[in-house]
Amino acid sequence: MSLVQTLMQPLRSQYAGSLDKNEARGSRYGAWDFFNEDNRRSDSIFDADIRAKIKSSFGNSVVIPVLDAKTVTIGNVRSCTIADDENTSKLVTLTFATLAFGFTMYPAMYENNDIKYQTDFTRKLKNYTNQLASVLDSAAIAALEAAKNQFWTGIAAYYPETADALQVTNAQKNDYYNNVQAILETMDFYGVPHIISSTSGSPLVRRLAEQGAGNTTNEAWQLTPYEFHWTNRIPNAGGIASTQYIVQEGSVGYETRVDPDSRLGHSVGNQIKWSTVNVPLPNTPNGITMGSLYREDCADASNIMTSGSTGLTATKREGFQWSVDIAFSTAYNSDPANRYNPIVKTEISAT
């Protein structure tokens, strides 16, 4: 005889989302954060007309007229003959990328489960919004990399350049932020410099910040002009401690558009519905407007789980999809090889 059959079953708590809180943790999205901040400026590179054209451009291209820079000469003689001196215009075509994600839900599956419908839905959505923020952050970094400065006349006095990136030695790093603003001003870019940096650059900033007025040597003063944006998606090359982009504010922007069905709120009976929704994202104060597609039908969900759903051979299936088109841009430069760009890449050496 034995009491083994009546042993108490394992004690299981209700799901609270505390023990697994790190399974859906966010990250640092500094480049996306900077694009969002710059995008809200009154002097953004995308004016109201450009944004309106983008919003209604689905399935079409968007081109923006620009005027090239030119070199003119101031003379010292008056003349009755006035020479022609025409500007050169160009058209810049924006490039859009489509971003989409979605998942399904089977309401009957939560009938006898500790994880309930809303909890599962919220976690699924959070997984995707965290990943979407990462994708947007990487796209913002790619835009900065593509538009980094290539013209170095007058800048080599600060640091040498390799592959269009200023090289700062480990011995020079303590005076680096003293020079950053001067570099932009040498290029005739004034105002608040923004620094989009790999997270590995933060120890230097913290060290300098602590070297304040109470120390024998005060280094903290040189951090005053800057706004820092940290990201975990800027890779460091071998031997590099920190990679950064120094950017003059008002130099970047982005805009989004949604598909026509979502914008028009179409539906097919009660089973398929399109709409526009605001999706909350990290480092995005107002979220991002996306197109939403909802559809429901009957499906066989018996193989979704190893147990608990084997009887759901004909059950309600809900599908959710979100999508958006987005275009990133930086300020136009008619001759990058011979004109300064307000995005300077720097690499601080680890040794």
Side-chain angles (χ1 to χ4, degrees), residues 206-228:
R206 287 194 296 269
R207 195 197 72 80
L208 293 176
E210 292 302 318
Q211 294 294 111
N215 291 274
T216 303
T217 301
N218 182 0
E219 298 280 11
W221 55 269
Q222 60 182 309
L223 300 177
T224 302
Y226 308 112
E227 287 193 24
F228 291 89

Side-chain angles (χ1 to χ4, degrees), residues 176 180 184 193-195 244-248 342-346:
Y176 165 69
V180 165
L184 288 177
H194 290 252
I195 296 178
Q244 305 183 347
Y245 296 92
I246 307 162
V247 188
Q248 169 64 41
I343 302 169
V344 179
K345 185 176 183 179
T346 63

Side-chain angles (χ1 to χ4, degrees), residues 106 297-304 309-317:
Y106 298 86
D297 50 28
C298 176
D300 182 354
S302 59
N303 64 342
I304 297 296
S309 64
T310 55
L312 300 180
T313 56
T315 188
K316 180 178 178 179
R317 178 183 188 270

